[in-house]
Amino acid sequence: ASNGRSRRESVLQGLSTLSLALPAEAEDTRRLAVVEMYPPFTSLVPLFGVFSLAQSAAQASSADDLAKMRQRFGKLSDTDLDAYRFLCTQYIGLIRYADPDEKVISFDKAARFKACDDAMAAVRRAREVLATEAEKVAFQKEVSSIGVNLASFFALIPKEDFKKAQDLSQKLQALDTDKDFRLSDEEAKTVRSSGQPLPQEDSDVVDALRKVGFGDLLIP
């Protein structure tokens, strides 16, 4: 995990110049930008993992449930949250627009990134709430914010890409046999007798994310 983290930090540092210069505020253009082509769904897989975490957290009600959530949220460092933001930035930066209005494009990019950024800020707040043993209501408020913002982000991508990210994320959760919410090398490659091997396309996506240090962020 430490090697993965160091690789991920190197990638973040090396590619920081690719970060989008998004406007702090964008005027309401009242229409979506015309998109010619979306990038591959690879970057969406870890993001769906966060969405899945929020879905699980929304069901937490007992003290035991909250203790489990405290452990899962506690593993997500600020560096991890920045890595998720980078995945959003990378995905947005690779969208090919066909809109003649640059203001509309700027608004589209800003809206997409804001949804992702607000979701990660809510993850941090949820982590802090759990760390202080705060009441369940305060935690669920932040969980709701995570879900709403990531749902907004996913609503702006092709439905088939969302479905691919969802399906692969669920497959990876099933591979986490020791339920530590970290996909080890062995778990990623080993297929239990009752399971099915990952299709080559899915395996390539996982390998690509793991090679740049995002393996620990696949199933938070």
Side-chain angles (χ1 to χ4, degrees):
S2 60
N3 289 337
R5 186 179 298 274
S6 62
R7 287 198 302 270
R8 184 167 70 246
E9 290 174 348
S10 296
V11 170
L12 289 171
Q13 292 171 359
L15 298 181
S16 61
T17 56
L18 298 180
S19 298
L20 297 173
L22 297 177
E25 295 183 3
E27 62 182 83
D28 184 3
T29 60
R30 305 198 176 198
R31 73 174 177 84
L32 296 174
V34 178
V35 174
E36 178 182 343
M37 184 180 294
Y38 284 91
F41 74 97
T42 303
S43 298
L44 303 176
V45 177
L47 296 176
F48 187 87
V50 180
F51 189 58
S52 181
L53 172 60
Q55 290 176 316
S56 297
Q59 306 300 318
S61 57
S62 68
D64 286 344
D65 291 339
L66 291 176
K68 292 177 181 177
M69 287 299 128
R70 184 173 298 111
Q71 181 180 21
R72 291 180 68 178
F73 276 84
K75 288 183 177 180
L76 293 173
S77 67
D78 287 344
T79 299
D80 293 335
L81 299 183
D82 284 341
Y84 285 120
R85 289 185 177 95
F86 170 77
L87 289 174
C88 293
T89 302
Q90 181 185 55
Y91 183 84
I92 296 167
L94 292 174
I95 295 175
R96 187 184 303 170
Y97 290 94
D99 200 295
D101 193 330
E102 288 295 330
K103 289 184 179 180
V104 174
I105 294 175
S106 293
F107 174 77
D108 187 275
K109 290 181 177 181
R112 291 173 191 270
F113 183 77
K114 185 178 187 303
C116 179
D117 186 48
D118 286 352
M120 299 312 148
V123 172
R124 178 180 52 78
R125 292 194 300 270
R127 183 190 67 201
E128 293 174 352
V129 165
L130 288 172
T132 58
E133 305 283 345
E135 61 183 75
K136 182 176 66 177
V137 173
F139 172 62
Q140 289 298 343
K141 177 183 177 183
E142 302 304 341
V143 168
S144 177
S145 181
I146 299 168
V148 168
N149 281 291
L150 282 179
S152 297
F153 180 86
F154 287 132
L156 296 174
I157 68 173
K159 291 182 179 179
E160 59 269 24
D161 287 347
F162 172 78
K163 186 67 166 57
K164 288 179 180 178
Q166 178 185 42
D167 289 348
L168 179 51
S169 180
Q170 290 173 346
K171 290 176 186 176
L172 296 180
Q173 291 177 45
L175 291 176
D176 180 28
T177 53
D178 59 6
K179 301 303 177 186
D180 67 345
F181 302 101
R182 289 289 186 268
L183 198 64
S184 67
D185 291 335
E186 183 179 356
E187 287 172 334
K189 299 298 182 183
T190 302
V191 179
R192 291 169 294 168
S193 59
S194 59
Q196 295 293 325
L198 288 176
Q200 189 60 49
E201 179 187 12
D202 289 346
S203 182
D204 290 344
V205 169
V206 174
D207 287 344
L209 288 166
R210 289 173 65 82
K211 283 179 180 177
V212 292
F214 285 90
D216 286 347
L217 302 184
L218 291 172
I219 44 176

